[in-house]
Amino acid sequence: GVPLVQRTTRSVRLTEAGERLFAAARPALDELQAALSAVGELGTEPRGTLRLHVAGAAAGFLDGEAIAGFLAAHPQVRLDVLVSDEPSD
């Protein structure tokens, strides 16, 4: 119920209430920005465990050089390969 900005045809400025609200909210906004940045950094590089379950007959088709290149390009990825003819979950 309180105006936060005063707008004219030439400018927009905060009212006293707007300045108070902005000053009070600024620390929370800074923390939110820091949290979003921290989470955003997690998504820039693949990480975690990549599990491959390969049937024994198809294991010969795995390209060791391609796998080594992938792992070198993505050092935070761990590869877990299971060669088995048993059904996988």
Side-chain angles (χ1 to χ4, degrees), residues 47-52 70-71 77-81:
R47 65 177 61 214
T49 301
L50 176 60
R51 291 188 176 91
L52 297 177
F70 176 83
L71 292 175
V77 173
R78 180 177 163 266
L79 183 61
D80 183 7
V81 179

Side-chain angles (χ1 to χ4, degrees), residues 16-54:
E16 182 181 346
E19 288 176 3
R20 287 184 184 187
L21 177 63
F22 182 73
R26 188 70 203 176
L29 293 172
D30 290 341
E31 285 185 40
L32 179 60
Q33 183 60 47
L36 290 173
S37 294
V39 170
E41 290 172 5
L42 294 175
T44 60
E45 187 66 32
R47 65 177 61 214
T49 301
L50 176 60
R51 291 188 176 91
L52 297 177
H53 184 173
V54 181

